[in-house]
Coordinates of all heavy atoms in Angstrom, one line a residue:
M1 N -160.6 -105.8 -33.9 CA -160.6 -107.2 -34.5 C -159.3 -107.3 -35.3 O -158.8 -106.5 -35.9 CB -161.8 -107.2 -35.5 CG -162.1 -108.6 -36.0 SD -163.5 -108.7 -37.1 CE -164.8 -108.7 -35.9
D2 N -158.7 -108.6 -35.1 CA -157.4 -108.8 -35.7 C -157.6 -109.5 -37.1 O -158.0 -110.7 -37.1 CB -156.7 -109.8 -34.7 CG -155.4 -110.2 -35.3 OD1 -154.7 -109.4 -36.0 OD2 -154.9 -111.3 -35.0
I3 N -157.3 -108.8 -38.1 CA -157.4 -109.3 -39.5 C -156.1 -109.0 -40.1 O -155.6 -107.9 -40.1 CB -158.5 -108.7 -40.2 CG1 -159.9 -108.8 -39.4 CG2 -158.6 -109.3 -41.6 CD1 -161.0 -107.8 -39.9
R4 N -155.6 -110.0 -40.8 CA -154.3 -109.9 -41.5 C -154.4 -110.2 -43.0 O -155.3 -111.0 -43.4 CB -153.2 -110.7 -40.9 CG -153.0 -110.5 -39.4 CD -152.0 -111.5 -38.8 NE -152.3 -111.6 -37.3 CZ -151.6 -112.5 -36.6 NH1 -150.8 -113.4 -37.2 NH2 -151.7 -112.6 -35.4
V5 N -153.5 -109.7 -43.7 CA -153.3 -110.1 -45.1 C -153.2 -111.6 -45.2 O -152.4 -112.2 -44.4 CB -152.2 -109.4 -45.8 CG1 -151.9 -109.9 -47.2 CG2 -152.5 -107.9 -45.8
G6 N -153.9 -112.4 -46.0 CA -153.8 -113.8 -46.2 C -154.9 -114.5 -45.3 O -155.1 -115.6 -45.7
D7 N -155.6 -113.8 -44.5 CA -156.7 -114.4 -43.7 C -157.9 -114.5 -44.8 O -158.0 -113.7 -45.8 CB -157.1 -113.5 -42.6 CG -156.2 -113.6 -41.4 OD1 -155.3 -114.4 -41.5 OD2 -156.4 -112.9 -40.5
R8 N -158.8 -115.3 -44.5 CA -160.1 -115.2 -45.1 C -161.1 -114.9 -44.1 O -161.1 -115.2 -42.9 CB -160.4 -116.7 -45.6 CG -159.7 -117.0 -46.8 CD -160.2 -118.2 -47.4 NE -159.4 -118.5 -48.6 CZ -159.8 -119.4 -49.6 NH1 -160.9 -119.9 -49.5 NH2 -159.0 -119.6 -50.6
I9 N -162.2 -114.1 -44.6 CA -163.2 -113.7 -43.8 C -164.5 -114.3 -44.3 O -164.7 -114.4 -45.5 CB -163.3 -112.2 -43.6 CG1 -163.3 -111.4 -44.9 CG2 -162.1 -111.6 -42.8 CD1 -163.6 -110.0 -45.0
Q10 N -165.3 -114.7 -43.4 CA -166.6 -115.2 -43.7 C -167.6 -114.1 -43.4 O -167.6 -113.5 -42.2 CB -166.9 -116.5 -42.9 CG -168.3 -117.0 -43.2 CD -168.4 -118.5 -43.3 OE1 -167.4 -119.2 -42.8 NE2 -169.5 -119.0 -43.7
T11 N -168.4 -113.7 -44.4 CA -169.3 -112.6 -44.2 C -170.6 -113.1 -43.9 O -171.1 -114.1 -44.2 CB -169.2 -111.7 -45.4 OG1 -169.7 -112.5 -46.6 CG2 -167.9 -111.1 -45.6
K12 N -171.4 -112.2 -43.1 CA -172.7 -112.5 -42.8 C -173.6 -112.5 -44.1 O -174.5 -113.2 -44.2 CB -173.3 -111.4 -41.9 CG -172.6 -111.5 -40.5 CD -173.2 -110.3 -39.7 CE -172.3 -110.3 -38.3 NZ -172.4 -109.0 -37.7
K13 N -173.3 -111.4 -44.9 CA -174.0 -111.2 -46.2 C -173.3 -111.7 -47.3 O -172.1 -111.3 -47.6 CB -174.3 -109.8 -46.3 CG -175.5 -109.5 -47.2 CD -175.8 -108.0 -47.1 CE -175.8 -107.4 -48.6 NZ -176.0 -105.9 -48.6
P14 N -173.7 -112.8 -48.0 CA -172.9 -113.4 -49.1 C -172.7 -112.4 -50.3 O -173.5 -111.5 -50.5 CB -173.6 -114.7 -49.6 CG -174.9 -114.5 -49.0 CD -174.9 -113.4 -47.9
H15 N -171.7 -112.5 -51.1 CA -171.6 -111.8 -52.3 C -172.7 -112.3 -53.3 O -173.2 -113.4 -53.2 CB -170.2 -112.3 -53.0 CG -169.7 -111.2 -54.0 ND1 -169.5 -111.7 -55.3 CD2 -169.4 -110.0 -54.0 CE1 -169.1 -110.7 -56.1 NE2 -169.1 -109.6 -55.2
P16 N -173.1 -111.4 -54.2 CA -174.2 -111.8 -55.2 C -173.9 -113.1 -55.8 O -174.9 -113.8 -56.3 CB -174.2 -110.6 -56.1 CG -173.7 -109.5 -55.4 CD -172.7 -110.0 -54.4
C17 N -172.6 -113.5 -56.0 CA -172.3 -114.8 -56.7 C -172.7 -115.9 -55.9 O -172.6 -117.1 -56.3 CB -170.9 -114.8 -57.2 SG -169.7 -115.1 -55.8
G18 N -172.9 -115.7 -54.6 CA -173.3 -116.9 -53.7 C -172.2 -117.3 -52.7 O -172.5 -117.9 -51.7
A19 N -170.9 -116.9 -53.0 CA -169.9 -117.2 -51.9 C -169.9 -116.3 -50.8 O -170.3 -115.1 -51.0 CB -168.6 -117.1 -52.7
S20 N -169.5 -116.7 -49.7 CA -169.5 -115.8 -48.4 C -168.1 -115.8 -47.8 O -168.0 -115.4 -46.7 CB -170.6 -116.3 -47.5 OG -170.3 -117.7 -47.1
Q21 N -167.1 -116.2 -48.6 CA -165.8 -116.1 -48.1 C -165.0 -115.2 -49.0 O -165.1 -115.3 -50.2 CB -165.1 -117.4 -47.9 CG -165.6 -118.3 -46.7 CD -164.7 -119.4 -46.5 OE1 -163.6 -119.6 -47.0 NE2 -165.1 -120.3 -45.5
F22 N -164.2 -114.3 -48.3 CA -163.3 -113.4 -49.0 C -161.9 -113.5 -48.6 O -161.6 -113.7 -47.4 CB -163.8 -111.9 -48.8 CG -165.2 -111.7 -49.4 CD1 -166.3 -112.2 -48.8 CD2 -165.4 -111.1 -50.7 CE1 -167.6 -111.9 -49.3 CE2 -166.6 -110.8 -51.3 CZ -167.7 -111.3 -50.6
E23 N -161.0 -113.4 -49.4 CA -159.5 -113.4 -49.2 C -159.1 -111.9 -48.9 O -159.5 -111.0 -49.7 CB -158.8 -113.9 -50.4 CG -157.4 -114.4 -50.2 CD -156.8 -114.9 -51.5 OE1 -157.5 -115.4 -52.4 OE2 -155.6 -114.7 -51.6
V24 N -158.3 -111.7 -47.9 CA -157.9 -110.4 -47.5 C -156.6 -110.1 -48.2 O -155.5 -110.7 -48.0 CB -157.6 -110.2 -45.9 CG1 -157.2 -108.8 -45.6 CG2 -158.9 -110.6 -45.2
L25 N -156.6 -109.1 -49.0 CA -155.4 -108.7 -49.9 C -154.7 -107.5 -49.3 O -153.5 -107.4 -49.5 CB -155.9 -108.3 -51.3 CG -156.6 -109.5 -52.1 CD1 -157.0 -108.9 -53.4 CD2 -155.9 -110.7 -52.2
R26 N -155.4 -106.6 -48.6 CA -154.7 -105.4 -48.1 C -155.5 -105.0 -46.8 O -156.8 -105.0 -46.8 CB -154.7 -104.3 -49.0 CG -153.8 -103.2 -48.7 CD -153.9 -102.0 -49.6 NE -153.7 -102.3 -51.0 CZ -154.1 -101.5 -52.0 NH1 -154.7 -100.5 -51.8 NH2 -153.9 -101.8 -53.2
V27 N -154.8 -104.6 -45.8 CA -155.4 -104.1 -44.6 C -155.1 -102.6 -44.4 O -154.0 -102.2 -44.9 CB -155.2 -105.0 -43.4 CG1 -155.8 -106.3 -43.6 CG2 -153.7 -105.0 -43.0
G28 N -155.8 -101.9 -43.6 CA -155.5 -100.6 -43.3 C -156.9 -99.8 -43.0 O -157.7 -100.3 -42.5
M29 N -156.8 -98.5 -43.4 CA -158.1 -97.8 -43.3 C -159.1 -98.4 -44.2 O -160.3 -98.5 -43.9 CB -157.9 -96.3 -43.7 CG -156.9 -95.5 -42.8 SD -157.9 -94.7 -41.5 CE -158.7 -93.5 -42.5
D30 N -158.7 -98.7 -45.4 CA -159.5 -99.5 -46.3 C -159.0 -100.9 -46.4 O -157.8 -101.1 -46.5 CB -159.6 -98.8 -47.6 CG -160.3 -97.5 -47.5 OD1 -161.3 -97.5 -47.0 OD2 -159.7 -96.4 -48.1
F31 N -159.9 -101.8 -46.6 CA -159.5 -103.2 -46.9 C -159.8 -103.6 -48.3 O -160.7 -103.1 -48.9 CB -160.4 -104.1 -46.0 CG -159.9 -104.3 -44.6 CD1 -159.3 -103.3 -43.9 CD2 -160.0 -105.5 -43.9 CE1 -158.9 -103.5 -42.6 CE2 -159.5 -105.7 -42.6 CZ -159.1 -104.7 -41.9
K32 N -158.8 -104.4 -48.8 CA -159.1 -104.9 -50.2 C -159.3 -106.4 -50.0 O -158.5 -107.1 -49.4 CB -157.9 -104.6 -51.1 CG -158.2 -104.8 -52.5 CD -157.1 -104.4 -53.4 CE -157.2 -104.5 -54.8 NZ -156.2 -104.2 -55.6
I33 N -160.5 -106.8 -50.6 CA -160.8 -108.2 -50.4 C -161.2 -108.8 -51.8 O -161.6 -108.0 -52.6 CB -161.9 -108.4 -49.3 CG1 -163.2 -107.7 -49.8 CG2 -161.5 -108.1 -48.0 CD1 -164.4 -107.9 -48.8
R34 N -161.1 -110.1 -51.8 CA -161.4 -110.7 -53.2 C -162.3 -111.9 -52.8 O -162.1 -112.8 -51.9 CB -160.0 -111.3 -53.8 CG -160.3 -112.0 -55.2 CD -159.2 -112.9 -55.6 NE -158.0 -112.2 -56.0 CZ -156.8 -112.5 -55.7 NH1 -156.7 -113.6 -54.9 NH2 -155.8 -111.8 -56.0
C35 N -163.4 -112.0 -53.6 CA -164.3 -113.0 -53.4 C -163.8 -114.3 -53.8 O -163.1 -114.5 -54.9 CB -165.6 -112.7 -54.4 SG -166.8 -113.9 -54.3
T36 N -164.0 -115.4 -53.0 CA -163.3 -116.6 -53.4 C -164.2 -117.4 -54.4 O -163.9 -118.4 -54.9 CB -163.2 -117.6 -52.1 OG1 -164.5 -117.7 -51.4 CG2 -162.2 -116.9 -51.1
G37 N -165.4 -116.9 -54.6 CA -166.3 -117.5 -55.5 C -166.0 -117.1 -57.0 O -165.7 -117.8 -57.8
C38 N -166.1 -115.8 -57.2 CA -166.0 -115.3 -58.6 C -164.6 -114.4 -58.8 O -164.4 -114.0 -59.9 CB -167.2 -114.3 -59.0 SG -167.3 -112.9 -57.9
G39 N -163.9 -114.2 -57.7 CA -162.6 -113.5 -57.9 C -162.8 -112.0 -58.0 O -161.8 -111.3 -58.2
H40 N -163.9 -111.4 -57.8 CA -164.1 -110.0 -57.8 C -163.4 -109.3 -56.6 O -163.6 -109.9 -55.5 CB -165.7 -109.8 -57.7 CG -165.9 -108.3 -57.9 ND1 -166.0 -107.6 -59.1 CD2 -166.3 -107.5 -56.9 CE1 -166.3 -106.4 -58.8 NE2 -166.6 -106.2 -57.5
E41 N -162.7 -108.3 -56.9 CA -162.0 -107.6 -55.9 C -162.7 -106.3 -55.5 O -163.3 -105.6 -56.4 CB -160.5 -107.2 -56.4 CG -159.7 -108.4 -56.4 CD -158.2 -108.1 -57.0 OE1 -157.9 -106.9 -56.9 OE2 -157.5 -109.0 -57.3
V42 N -162.8 -106.0 -54.2 CA -163.5 -104.8 -53.8 C -162.7 -104.2 -52.7 O -162.0 -104.8 -51.8 CB -164.9 -105.2 -53.4 CG1 -165.0 -106.2 -52.3 CG2 -165.7 -103.9 -53.1
M43 N -162.7 -102.9 -52.6 CA -162.2 -102.1 -51.5 C -163.3 -101.4 -50.7 O -164.2 -100.9 -51.2 CB -161.2 -100.9 -52.0 CG -159.7 -101.5 -52.2 SD -158.6 -100.2 -52.6 CE -158.2 -99.7 -50.9
L44 N -163.1 -101.7 -49.4 CA -164.2 -101.2 -48.5 C -163.6 -100.6 -47.2 O -162.5 -101.1 -46.8 CB -165.1 -102.3 -48.0 CG -166.1 -102.8 -49.1 CD1 -166.7 -104.1 -48.7 CD2 -167.2 -101.8 -49.4
P45 N -164.1 -99.6 -46.6 CA -163.7 -99.1 -45.3 C -163.7 -100.1 -44.2 O -164.6 -101.0 -44.2 CB -164.6 -98.0 -44.9 CG -165.5 -97.8 -46.1 CD -165.4 -98.9 -47.0
R46 N -162.7 -100.2 -43.3 CA -162.6 -101.2 -42.3 C -163.8 -101.3 -41.5 O -164.3 -102.4 -41.3 CB -161.4 -100.9 -41.4 CG -161.2 -101.9 -40.4 CD -160.1 -101.4 -39.3 NE -160.0 -102.5 -38.3 CZ -158.8 -103.3 -38.4 NH1 -157.9 -103.1 -39.3 NH2 -158.8 -104.3 -37.6
A47 N -164.4 -100.2 -41.1 CA -165.6 -100.2 -40.3 C -166.9 -101.0 -40.9 O -167.5 -101.7 -40.2 CB -166.1 -98.8 -39.9
K48 N -166.9 -100.8 -42.2 CA -167.9 -101.4 -43.0 C -167.7 -103.0 -43.0 O -168.7 -103.8 -42.9 CB -168.1 -100.9 -44.3 CG -169.4 -101.1 -44.9 CD -169.6 -100.3 -46.2 CE -170.9 -100.7 -46.9 NZ -171.0 -100.0 -48.2
I49 N -166.5 -103.3 -43.2 CA -166.2 -104.8 -43.3 C -166.4 -105.5 -41.9 O -166.9 -106.6 -41.8 CB -164.7 -104.9 -43.8 CG1 -164.7 -104.7 -45.3 CG2 -164.2 -106.4 -43.6 CD1 -163.4 -105.0 -46.0
E50 N -165.8 -104.8 -40.9 CA -166.0 -105.4 -39.6 C -167.5 -105.7 -39.2 O -167.7 -106.7 -38.5 CB -165.4 -104.5 -38.6 CG -163.7 -104.6 -38.6 CD -163.1 -104.0 -37.4 OE1 -163.8 -103.2 -36.7 OE2 -162.0 -104.3 -37.2
K51 N -168.3 -104.8 -39.6 CA -169.8 -105.0 -39.3 C -170.3 -106.3 -40.0 O -171.3 -106.9 -39.6 CB -170.5 -103.8 -39.8 CG -171.1 -103.0 -38.7 CD -172.1 -102.0 -39.1 CE -171.5 -100.6 -39.1 NZ -172.3 -99.6 -39.7
N52 N -169.7 -106.6 -41.1 CA -170.2 -107.7 -41.9 C -169.5 -109.1 -41.7 O -169.9 -110.1 -42.4 CB -170.2 -107.3 -43.4 CG -171.0 -108.2 -44.3 OD1 -171.9 -108.8 -43.8 ND2 -170.6 -108.3 -45.6
I53 N -168.5 -109.1 -40.8 CA -167.7 -110.3 -40.6 C -168.5 -111.2 -39.6 O -168.9 -110.9 -38.6 CB -166.3 -110.0 -40.1 CG1 -165.6 -109.3 -41.2 CG2 -165.6 -111.3 -39.6 CD1 -164.1 -108.9 -40.7
K54 N -168.6 -112.4 -40.1 CA -169.1 -113.5 -39.2 C -167.9 -114.2 -38.5 O -168.0 -114.6 -37.3 CB -169.9 -114.5 -40.1 CG -170.8 -115.4 -39.4 CD -171.5 -116.1 -40.4 CE -172.7 -117.1 -39.9 NZ -173.3 -117.7 -40.9
K55 N -166.9 -114.5 -39.3 CA -165.7 -115.3 -38.7 C -164.5 -114.9 -39.6 O -164.6 -114.7 -40.8 CB -166.1 -116.7 -38.9 CG -165.2 -117.7 -38.3 CD -165.8 -119.1 -38.2 CE -165.8 -119.8 -39.5 NZ -166.2 -121.2 -39.4
V56 N -163.4 -115.0 -38.9 CA -162.0 -114.8 -39.6 C -161.4 -116.1 -39.5 O -161.2 -116.8 -38.6 CB -161.2 -113.8 -38.7 CG1 -159.8 -113.7 -39.5 CG2 -161.8 -112.4 -38.7
I57 N -160.9 -116.5 -40.7 CA -160.3 -117.9 -41.0 C -158.9 -117.6 -41.2 O -158.5 -117.1 -42.3 CB -161.0 -118.6 -42.1 CG1 -162.5 -118.8 -41.8 CG2 -160.3 -119.9 -42.4 CD1 -163.4 -118.8 -43.0
R58 N -158.0 -118.1 -40.3 CA -156.5 -117.9 -40.4 C -155.9 -119.0 -41.2 O -156.0 -120.3 -40.6 CB -155.9 -117.6 -39.1 CG -154.5 -117.5 -39.2 CD -154.0 -116.3 -38.3 NE -154.7 -115.0 -38.7 CZ -154.9 -114.1 -37.8 NH1 -154.6 -114.2 -36.6 NH2 -155.5 -113.0 -38.1
L59 N -155.4 -118.8 -42.3 CA -154.9 -119.9 -43.1 C -153.4 -120.1 -42.8 O -152.9 -121.2 -42.7 CB -155.0 -119.7 -44.6 CG -156.5 -119.6 -45.0 CD1 -156.5 -119.2 -46.5 CD2 -157.3 -120.9 -44.8
Q60 N -152.7 -119.1 -42.5 CA -151.3 -119.0 -42.2 C -151.0 -118.6 -40.8 O -151.3 -117.4 -40.4 CB -150.6 -118.1 -43.2 CG -150.8 -118.5 -44.6 CD -150.6 -117.2 -45.5 OE1 -150.7 -116.0 -45.1 NE2 -150.4 -117.4 -46.8
E61 N -150.4 -119.4 -39.9 CA -150.0 -119.0 -38.7 C -148.7 -118.3 -38.6 O -147.8 -118.6 -39.4 CB -150.0 -120.3 -37.7 CG -151.4 -120.7 -37.2 CD -152.2 -119.8 -36.5 OE1 -151.7 -118.9 -35.9 OE2 -153.5 -119.8 -36.7
N62 N -148.6 -117.3 -37.7 CA -147.3 -116.5 -37.5 C -146.8 -115.9 -38.8 O -145.7 -115.7 -39.0 CB -146.2 -117.5 -37.0 CG -146.6 -118.2 -35.7 OD1 -147.2 -117.7 -34.9 ND2 -146.3 -119.6 -35.7
A63 N -147.7 -115.5 -39.6 CA -147.3 -114.8 -40.8 C -147.1 -113.4 -40.6 O -147.6 -112.8 -39.6 CB -148.3 -115.1 -41.9
Ligands
LIG1 ZN1 -168.4 -113.3 -55.8

């Protein structure tokens, strides 16, 4: 799955605050994402995030 820094991911399971979109801050073995609802940042292993992704939203092309 192609995910880049600056993308937004829509998750199957929403954050406890109700938002289901997260901003991608760092990619690699572990991803760092920030909830667009409450601003909470979390680091998760790539495999775990990929399982929970519904959709990748690319905000910046050719970045
Ligand atoms: Zn949240």
Side-chain angles (χ1 to χ4, degrees):
M1 192 175 281
D2 179 34
I3 305 160
R4 301 176 202 170
V5 172
D7 286 351
R8 280 190 181 195
I9 52 175
Q10 178 142 11
T11 55
K12 292 174 191 159
K13 207 173 121 184
H15 197 239
C17 76
S20 60
Q21 282 193 13
F22 294 80
E23 201 182 324
V24 179
L25 303 177
R26 193 190 305 163
V27 297
M29 292 270 287
D30 291 313
F31 277 36
K32 193 174 184 186
I33 58 175
R34 185 199 286 137
C35 176
T36 57
C38 66
H40 184 77
E41 291 180 12
V42 61
M43 270 188 90
L44 287 167
R46 184 184 183 106
K48 198 168 176 182
I49 288 187
E50 286 194 342
K51 250 193 253 173
N52 193 27
I53 289 178
K54 196 175 188 182
K55 192 165 77 170
V56 178
I57 300 147
R58 179 133 307 144
L59 300 176
Q60 304 151 338
E61 285 299 330
N62 305 318

